[in-house]
């Protein structure tokens, strides 16, 4: 039977499956909070984790220190009307702890902001109305992106000469309880700008206003004197033009009333392709549906630009438009304004709408149009394909007002063979006497960015995903007699050969360029900051690199015996020109398996180390957990790694083998050698997020985190054509290793994952039932025929690789799943490919074959989960599933026999055993011996 016939039968069967009645789906919001420096979450102090025997006894009896309505594992758990539940207290205590602040350094590196955050938001925040328009989710009341996270306060600390922090100065003057966003320093570091919004009646959030704070006094005030000027933060928000002026995207005062949806449509919704254009797009979500949606998008997204001084002087700039970015030149004389405009599209998000880029003076005079790109509905789905025309238009950071950009020579289609493929151009803001753009460099791979230094040095990057090739070129931007040369030519998969990235310093103009180091000789030295991947794990480094000879001198390296340290930033960047080596100062982070991240100054020439933070341990109850990076081998010889965690106080001789949760996410590679390289460090601190599998350490589980599951396609072979086989052999190797060690019970191993990890989980339960007792799959896609124009890194279409799409889809193997599987999905998932319908239909397929399964749809949640109620319920559902089907479940051998008999009785074909070698729906089954 052909693959297309199989596909037709499967789709027909799917159409006949009953769909469950679902509640009305409310909109979701998407988070959009830039964080300068991520820090681990802090958790409240609590008692140490219980011994294994106590945990097992509590789990068996249903004791979890929860309200009565949320405890126990009885029949009431299957009543979906019981509402939100709470996980056991040992998990709650970790998740509910207040988070640590985010750090932000001043331009001169002499002050640090502590941006304070709240814990998990309530579900009521997510439940507020929103509009889904052109791929953007909008809070119409506040006229910003919906579900924005926020800061609750700003503290300012001086960084003293000895590296210690001075006393905190709290920014004050704004309304109590305000939500703060978009915190930015002025160029001179004397002022802060930020947005403020407050709670109003009916659980609504006010529109955003821009505030200014004096750094010395901490006193804050509104930027605009008029209370009727509000920030429009749908796209860009505001930017410092100079030390006393900001350019702000505001809601037009003359905007008028909200467009009203017509009670009777003006006509049918029509899309046409009578011109036979080839337009292939992935499964984008939240697209415009009709002209009313387009009007609504214009209403919310249109901004009036305002130039406003710190003294309150306001000047409108340009016409109202849908501005997506505002970018001052380094010398503050020009403004590059990007906007999108009609005609809009119903099949692609706003990032592909027609785009106009204009140049204006800083005082509001139009100069010229840089480009006006047409609607880009036809960007090929092949990885490394791009939009036609000028793209990546930026200011050179080492020049006052020079623009650079790139233009494709292959029509944007990665499948077209052409040389060169991309050309990088430069041009002055105001060309003189018809001056034409200058070619900086021609590239045969796809352009990947530039690190600028000065007129004699810049590094140009190019790469090609299909071959994983990446190159770094050395160019002299303003010296025509110097030819470009290749500095590095390597595989992007080969982490062992990664030389690191150049460190940047701040210029007098406030931009960032490659830092040159003076070693008192004639050579030019750069600082290369790398992760230092080795077969023993990452050992981050800082190299002094001679750009002329390629020689390296290691001037700093992480302590690889106990700690994992990384270089975060260059702190000695206050002067222009070369940086003397003996004046070098860097910011590093330092952590270990049991010590959470702290920040240090490293000061040359003595390399003195000064600790500047002293954050408490975020979850002291797990401080003594056991962590090991383990290594093992797949049957085909590929080297694999994983992080094995064991609970605090675990004693193998007394406690015996533990139940285990395996949590992972597959990755594609072009070579077995690259797939087998070690990534990560055995000394990294174990950060635990709100839905992390490591939470079950507090419940007495062993956790196998991130076991590598490489899907390798060498040469012209496509990796996904042997996806199932490689997936199963990787999982077999991981399970065999932890069982061999004696710390994991072979019949009590659960598997789980999120997104592509959920796809992995369902496939493992279908094709490797001998390995796992149950599974947890969150926000996954299970039927690849619903994503026919590519998924993940697969850029062939369903019609080009029909067998691959069908064989990779666990939906097509729902009849083979014999283990209990828990499906969880956000009701408003906006991720491309993982529509909520994927879990709905997969669950129906599982029910149709009598599989023990449960589907949990989280109201208002997107691809990731945000609200406290949702997260706690996810943890309760997951814990219940693990206790019932892993800790207290029957052995896999017993359940397999029962399940096999049951599946024959409940087969969708009407009952009866299938012929040998075929499943009940006619698909070829793969003998376990081949897996």
């Amino acid at each position: 039977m052909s693959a297309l016939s199989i596909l037709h039968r499967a789709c027909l069967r799917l159409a006949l499956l009953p769909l469950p009645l679902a509640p009305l789906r409310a909109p979701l919001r998407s988070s959009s909070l830039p964080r300068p420096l991520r820090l681990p979450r802090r958790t409240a102090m609590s008692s140490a984790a219980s011994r294994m025997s106590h945990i097992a006894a509590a789990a068996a009896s249903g004791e979890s220190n929860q309200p009565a309505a949320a405890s126990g594992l009885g029949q009431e758990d299957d009543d979906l009307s019981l509402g939100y539940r709470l996980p056991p207290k040992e998990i709650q205590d970790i998740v509910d702890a207040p988070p640590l602040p985010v750090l932000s350094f001043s331009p001169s590196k002499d002050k640090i902001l502590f941006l304070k955050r709240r814990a998990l938001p309530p579900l009521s925040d997510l439940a507020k109305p929103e509009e889904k328009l052109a791929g953007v989710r909008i809070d119409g009341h506040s006229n910003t992106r919906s579900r924005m996270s926020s800061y609750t306060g700003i503290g300012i600390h001086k960084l003293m000469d000895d590296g210690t922090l001075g006393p905190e100065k709290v920014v004050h003057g704004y309304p109590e309880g305000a939500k703060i966003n978009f915190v930015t320093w002025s160029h001179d570091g004397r002022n802060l700008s930020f947005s403020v919004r407050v709670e109003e009646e009916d659980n609504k959030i006010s529109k955003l206003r821009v505030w200014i704070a004096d750094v010395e006094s901490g006193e804050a005030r509104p930027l605009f004197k008029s209370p009727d000027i509000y920030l429009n933060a749908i796209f860009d928000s505001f930017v410092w033009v100079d030390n006393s002026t900001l350019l702000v995207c505001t809601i037009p005062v003359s905007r008028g009333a909200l467009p009203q949806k017509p009670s009777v449509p003006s006509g049918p919704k029509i899309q046409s392709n009578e011109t036979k254009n080839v337009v292939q797009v992935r499964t984008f979500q939240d697209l415009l549906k009709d002209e009313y949606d387009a009007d609504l998008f214009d209403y919310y997204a249109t901004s009036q630009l305002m130039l406003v001084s710190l003294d309150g002087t306001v000047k409108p700039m340009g016409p109202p438009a849908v501005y997506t970015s505002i970018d001052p030149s380094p010398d503050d004389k020009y403004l590059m304004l990007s906007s999108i405009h009609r005609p809009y599209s119903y099949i692609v998000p706003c990032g592909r709408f027609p785009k106009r880029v204009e140049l204006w003076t800083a005082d509001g005079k139009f100069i010229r149009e840089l480009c006006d790109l047409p609607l880009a509905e036809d960007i090929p789905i092949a990885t490394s394909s791009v939009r036609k025309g000028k793209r990546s238009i930026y200011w050179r950071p080492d020049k006052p007002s020079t623009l650079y950009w790139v233009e494709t020579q292959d029509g944007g289609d990665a499948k077209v063979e052409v040389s060169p493929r991309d050309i990088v151009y430069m041009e002055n803001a105001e060309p003189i006497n018809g001056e034409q753009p200058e070619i900086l460099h021609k590239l045969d791979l796809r352009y990947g960015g530039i690190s600028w230094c000065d007129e004699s040095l810049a590094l140009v990057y190019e790469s090609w995903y299909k071959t994983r090739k990446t190159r770094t070129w050395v160019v002299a931007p303003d010296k025509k007699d110097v030819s470009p040369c290749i500095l590095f030519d390597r595989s992007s998969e080969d982490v062992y050969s990664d030389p690191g990235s150049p460190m940047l310093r701040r210029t007098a103009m406030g931009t960032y360029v490659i830092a040159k180091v003076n070693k008192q000789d004639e050579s030019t030295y750069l600082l290369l900051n790398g992760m230092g991947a080795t077969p023993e794990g990452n050992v981050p480094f800082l190299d002094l690199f001679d750009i002329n000879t390629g020689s390296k001198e290691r001037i700093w390296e992480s302590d690889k015996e106990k700690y994992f340290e990384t270089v975060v930033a260059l702190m000695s960047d206050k002067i222009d020109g070369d940086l003397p080596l003996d004046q070098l100062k860097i910011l590093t982070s330092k952590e270990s398996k049991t010590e959470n991240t702290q920040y240090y100054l490293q000061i040359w020439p003595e390399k003195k180390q000064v600790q500047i933070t002293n954050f408490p341990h975020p979850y002291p109850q797990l401080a003594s957990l056991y962590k090991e990076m383990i290594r093992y081998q797949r049957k085909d010889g590929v080297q694999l790694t994983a992080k094995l965690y064991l609970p605090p106080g675990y004693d193998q001789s007394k406690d015996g083998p533990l139940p285990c949760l395996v949590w992972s996410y597959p990755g594609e590679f072009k070579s077995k050698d690259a797939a087998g390289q070690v990534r990560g460090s055995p000394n990294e601190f174990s950060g635990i997020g709100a839905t992390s599998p490591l939470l079950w350490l507090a419940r007495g589980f062993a956790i196998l985190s991130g076991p590598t599951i490489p899907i390798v396609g060498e040469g012209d072979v496509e990796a996904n054509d042997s996806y199932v086989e490689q997936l199963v052999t990787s999982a077999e190797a991981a399970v065999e290793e932890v069982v061999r060690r004696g710390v994991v019970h072979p019949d009590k191993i659960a598997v789980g994952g999120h997104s592509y990890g959920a796809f992995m989980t369902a496939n493992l339960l279908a094709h490797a039932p001998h390995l796992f007792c149950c599974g947890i799959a969150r926000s996954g896609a299970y039927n690849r025929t619903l994503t026919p124009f590519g998924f993940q890194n697969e850029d062939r279409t369903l019609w080009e690789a029909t067998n691959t799409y069908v064989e990779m889809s666990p939906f097509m193997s729902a009849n083979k799943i014999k283990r209990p599987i828990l499906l969880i999905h956000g009701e408003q998932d906006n991720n491309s490919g993982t529509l909520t319908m994927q879990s709905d239909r997969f669950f129906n397929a599982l029910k149709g074959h009598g599989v023990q399964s449960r589907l949990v749809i989280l109201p208002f949640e997107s691809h990731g989960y945000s609200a406290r109620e949702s997260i706690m319920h996810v943890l309760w559902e997951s814990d219940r599933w693990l206790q019932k089907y892993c800790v207290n479940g029957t052995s896999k051998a017993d359940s397999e026999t029962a399940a096999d008999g049951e599946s024959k009785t409940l087969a969708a074909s009407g009952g009866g055993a299938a012929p040998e070698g075929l499943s009940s729906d006619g698909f070829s089954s793969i003998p376990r011996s081949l897996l």
Side-chain angles (χ1 to χ4, degrees):
M1 183 181 296
S2 71
L4 282 174
S5 298
I6 293 172
L7 175 61
H8 175 75
R9 288 183 55 192
C11 292
L12 179 61
R13 186 176 294 113
L14 170 63
L16 298 175
L17 290 175
L19 291 176
L21 293 175
L24 290 176
R25 293 189 174 178
L28 161 79
R29 334 188 107 163
S30 92
S31 174
S32 161
L33 177 63
R35 293 178 177 172
L37 183 63
R38 292 185 180 272
L39 296 175
R41 294 174 53 84
R42 177 187 176 187
T43 60
M45 298 291 291
S46 66
S47 60
S50 302
R51 295 289 293 166
M52 302 303 107
S53 57
H54 172 73
I55 291 174
S61 64
E63 296 173 7
S64 58
N65 297 317
Q66 303 177 81
S71 62
L73 298 174
Q75 291 183 339
E76 72 275 11
D77 294 338
D78 294 320
D79 184 348
L80 299 181
S81 66
L82 286 179
Y84 289 97
R85 312 292 280 274
L86 295 173
K89 187 176 184 302
E90 54 263 43
I91 289 180
Q92 287 186 58
D93 287 346
I94 298 173
V95 176
D96 263 343
L100 288 170
V102 173
L103 303 188
S104 174
F105 286 84
S106 66
S108 58
K109 306 295 193 300
D110 62 340
K111 297 180 180 66
I112 307 177
L113 298 184
F114 277 52
L115 304 173
K116 300 166 186 179
R117 300 180 290 158
R118 63 176 178 175
L120 297 174
L123 187 64
S124 58
D125 279 11
L126 276 64
K128 294 169 184 172
E130 69 178 355
E131 301 291 347
K132 303 174 185 177
L133 304 168
V136 179
R137 295 187 171 183
I138 296 171
D139 180 344
H141 188 77
S142 62
N143 213 104
T144 187
R145 297 291 183 103
S146 56
R147 197 190 303 174
M148 281 204 318
S149 54
S150 61
Y151 301 120
T152 58
I154 305 173
I156 306 172
H157 293 266
K158 285 187 177 181
L159 185 59
M160 312 304 286
D161 292 339
D162 61 359
T164 59
L165 296 182
E168 182 179 67
K169 184 172 294 180
V170 177
V171 174
H172 58 278
Y174 54 83
E176 185 176 355
K179 301 177 186 296
I180 298 170
N181 291 95
F182 309 117
V183 182
T184 54
W185 294 89
S186 62
H187 300 335
D188 59 9
R190 297 175 60 183
N191 291 283
L192 298 173
S193 56
F194 54 94
S195 68
V196 166
R197 50 198 169 113
V198 296
E199 293 277 358
E200 293 183 328
E201 296 179 0
D202 302 323
N203 195 33
K204 293 181 179 178
I205 298 293
S206 69
K207 292 182 175 62
L208 283 69
R209 289 191 170 93
V210 183
W211 282 62
I212 297 293
D214 180 87
V215 172
E216 286 302 318
S217 67
E219 185 174 350
R221 60 178 176 81
L223 174 63
F224 291 97
K225 294 180 180 179
S226 170
D228 298 324
I229 300 180
Y230 298 100
L231 182 66
N232 188 342
I234 301 299
F235 293 107
D236 214 341
S237 53
F238 53 83
V239 64
W240 288 90
V241 176
D242 54 42
N243 289 324
S244 60
T245 309
L246 291 96
L247 181 62
V248 183
C249 295
T250 68
I251 298 173
V253 176
S254 59
R255 179 166 71 174
L258 189 71
Q260 297 300 306
K261 188 176 183 66
S263 56
V264 178
S266 58
K269 300 175 183 178
I270 298 173
Q271 297 185 55
S272 175
N273 192 36
E274 295 180 60
T275 55
K276 298 184 178 180
N277 292 328
V278 177
V279 179
Q280 300 178 351
V281 295
R282 296 208 177 193
T283 50
F284 298 118
Q285 309 229 40
D286 301 338
L287 302 177
L288 299 178
K289 299 181 291 297
D290 50 32
E291 186 63 21
Y292 168 71
D293 271 4
D295 291 342
L296 209 55
F297 177 75
D298 278 338
Y299 178 84
Y300 288 119
T302 298
S303 295
Q304 172 63 61
L305 297 181
M306 293 282 195
L307 283 166
V308 54
S309 300
L310 295 184
D311 62 7
T313 303
V314 176
K315 177 183 178 181
M317 177 178 166
V322 182
Y323 294 103
T324 56
S325 71
I326 48 180
D327 189 10
S329 62
D331 62 3
D332 300 333
K333 291 183 178 179
Y334 300 96
L335 294 165
M336 182 167 55
L337 309 179
S338 299
S339 61
I340 54 179
H341 61 84
R342 295 185 183 232
Y344 295 155
S345 170
Y346 297 153
I347 63 172
V348 294
C350 59
R352 297 191 181 188
F353 287 0
K355 177 181 179 180
R356 181 179 296 118
V357 183
E358 298 175 338
L359 203 60
W360 293 64
T361 63
D363 59 357
K365 296 179 182 177
F366 174 78
I367 298 177
R368 63 190 178 106
E369 181 180 275
L370 298 178
C371 68
D372 192 352
L373 305 179
L375 178 65
E377 289 184 330
D378 59 348
I379 299 176
I381 63 171
T383 307
S384 300
S385 295
V386 295
R387 189 174 191 159
K388 300 174 186 176
K390 290 183 178 180
R391 70 181 197 277
S392 301
I393 309 175
Y394 297 109
W395 296 104
R396 268 184 64 172
D398 63 318
K399 290 290 184 180
S401 52
T402 299
L403 295 159
Y404 71 98
W405 67 91
V406 63
E407 294 185 37
T408 180
Q409 306 301 299
D410 58 12
D413 189 347
K415 293 185 178 180
V416 173
E417 296 294 335
V418 65
S419 178
R421 190 173 292 276
D422 274 339
I423 298 179
V424 184
Y425 295 91
M426 300 186 300
E427 185 179 53
N428 290 325
E430 293 190 78
I432 302 172
N433 300 325
E435 185 180 42
Q436 294 300 306
E438 176 185 349
I439 293 178
L440 172 67
H441 195 41
K442 296 180 179 181
L443 302 167
D444 284 338
L445 308 181
R446 186 65 76 207
Y447 169 78
I450 301 178
S451 294
W452 295 89
C453 183
D454 53 30
E455 68 281 351
S456 63
L457 176 63
L459 302 181
V460 182
Y461 308 101
E462 63 173 341
S463 64
W464 198 245
Y465 177 77
K466 200 73 173 178
T467 60
R468 308 303 198 272
K469 180 179 284 293
T470 180
R471 294 185 186 132
T472 302
W473 291 84
V474 177
V475 300
D478 301 326
K479 296 188 176 182
K480 307 295 185 293
D481 56 337
V482 180
S483 299
C485 63
I486 292 179
L487 183 63
F488 304 120
D489 189 352
R490 46 182 294 274
S491 168
S492 60
E493 289 184 336
D494 182 11
V495 293
Y496 291 170
S497 71
D498 189 348
S501 303
M503 297 207 70
L504 307 180
R505 66 167 177 84
R506 189 173 183 270
T507 69
M509 296 183 293
T511 58
Y512 285 84
V513 298
I514 295 174
K516 281 185 177 180
V517 175
N518 183 339
K519 198 185 173 186
Q520 298 181 339
D521 58 27
E522 298 300 320
S523 293
T524 300
Y525 296 95
L526 310 183
L527 293 169
L528 293 185
N529 177 18
M531 291 306 295
T534 73
E536 288 71 44
N538 289 352
V539 184
F541 64 83
L542 189 63
D543 279 351
L544 197 61
F545 180 73
D546 189 327
I547 194 72
N548 299 316
T549 67
S551 62
K552 301 176 184 179
E553 176 188 349
R554 188 139 300 177
I555 61 173
W556 178 89
E557 187 175 69
S558 172
D559 176 355
K560 59 187 175 184
E561 298 303 322
K562 179 181 178 181
Y563 291 100
F564 177 69
E565 303 170 281
T566 60
V567 176
V568 178
L570 182 63
M571 301 294 282
S572 49
D573 63 351
K574 299 178 183 178
I575 57 175
D576 284 337
D578 294 357
L579 174 66
L581 181 59
D582 60 4
Q583 295 181 22
L584 184 63
K585 185 188 297 184
I586 60 175
L587 178 72
T588 62
S589 66
K590 184 176 182 179
E591 61 195 77
S592 73
K593 296 177 183 179
T594 57
E595 299 172 61
N596 53 301
T597 305
Q598 306 293 350
Y599 293 89
Y600 294 77
L601 289 178
Q602 307 279 349
I603 305 171
W604 269 252
E606 297 86 0
K607 297 186 182 179
K608 178 183 176 183
Q609 180 174 275
V610 180
Q611 183 173 345
I612 62 173
T613 62
N614 188 25
F615 298 121
H617 195 291
Y619 11 86
Q621 61 270 55
L622 295 179
S624 61
L625 62 80
Y626 175 87
K627 174 186 176 183
E628 180 185 356
M629 180 179 283
I630 63 174
R631 299 168 178 82
Y632 48 97
Q633 192 176 75
R634 203 165 72 178
K635 289 179 181 178
D636 59 0
V638 176
Q639 296 296 317
L640 304 177
T641 60
K643 293 175 183 176
L644 174 63
Y645 295 86
L646 300 174
Y650 171 70
D651 185 328
Q652 184 174 350
S653 62
K654 295 180 181 178
D655 300 313
L658 300 173
C660 178
L661 174 59
V662 178
W663 199 271
S664 193
Y665 192 99
E668 294 84 11
F669 293 87
K670 289 302 294 179
S671 76
K672 292 181 179 179
D673 288 343
Q677 291 184 352
V678 177
R679 292 162 174 82
S681 167
N683 296 325
E684 288 179 274
F685 181 71
S686 304
I688 301 179
T691 55
S692 169
L694 299 186
L695 290 166
W696 276 272
L697 288 168
R699 296 284 280 162
F701 273 73
I703 307 296
L704 194 65
S705 177
T708 50
I709 301 186
I711 311 299
V712 183
E714 295 186 302
D716 294 331
V717 175
E718 295 291 344
N720 283 339
D721 290 344
S722 58
Y723 172 86
V724 171
E725 179 181 355
Q726 295 193 61
L727 179 73
V728 173
T729 55
S730 296
E732 281 180 333
V735 168
E736 289 170 3
E737 176 62 21
V738 292
V739 170
R740 181 192 67 79
R741 289 168 171 256
V743 296
V744 169
H745 195 297
D747 288 342
K748 297 183 184 299
I749 304 175
V751 63
H754 188 95
S755 194
Y756 206 51
F759 176 74
M760 168 206 76
T761 298
N763 266 309
L764 285 173
L765 293 185
H767 302 292
H770 57 296
L771 297 179
F772 303 105
C773 61
C774 64
I776 300 172
R778 300 192 318 221
S779 298
Y782 308 102
N783 183 354
R784 286 305 171 193
T785 69
L786 298 177
T787 55
F789 290 106
F791 58 89
Q792 201 71 4
N793 291 316
E794 176 60 67
D795 54 17
R796 295 171 296 176
T797 70
L798 168 64
W799 299 272
E800 294 171 322
T802 306
N803 289 336
T804 297
Y805 273 68
V806 171
E807 291 167 6
M808 284 183 70
S809 297
F811 178 87
M812 304 299 181
S813 299
N815 62 312
K816 299 177 184 178
I817 295 178
K818 313 301 180 187
R819 308 290 177 222
I821 181 170
L822 171 64
L823 304 176
I824 301 175
H825 217 119
E827 192 173 30
Q828 301 296 322
D829 195 328
N830 64 346
N831 184 56
S832 176
T834 56
L835 297 83
T836 308
M837 174 180 64
Q838 289 272 6
S839 287
D840 286 333
R841 294 189 174 181
F842 188 42
F843 178 66
N844 285 328
L846 294 169
K847 281 199 306 181
H849 291 89
V851 179
Q852 283 181 303
S853 52
R854 182 175 174 95
L855 173 62
V856 179
I857 301 295
L858 303 170
F860 308 115
E861 294 289 356
S862 184
H863 191 59
Y865 317 139
S866 301
R868 180 181 184 276
E869 294 91 331
S870 302
I871 287 173
M872 290 299 182
H873 189 81
V874 166
L875 299 176
W876 177 82
E877 291 278 2
S878 302
D879 187 70
R880 171 189 176 274
W881 206 254
L882 292 172
Q883 299 298 331
K884 186 172 183 178
Y885 296 111
C886 184
V887 175
N888 301 315
T890 56
S891 72
K892 288 188 292 187
D894 293 340
S895 64
E896 184 173 13
T897 302
D900 285 344
E902 184 180 53
S903 65
K904 292 176 182 178
T905 304
L906 299 176
S909 59
E916 185 176 357
L918 290 177
S919 64
S920 58
D921 63 356
F923 291 132
S924 270
S925 60
I926 303 175
R928 185 181 303 173
S929 60
L930 298 181
L931 298 179

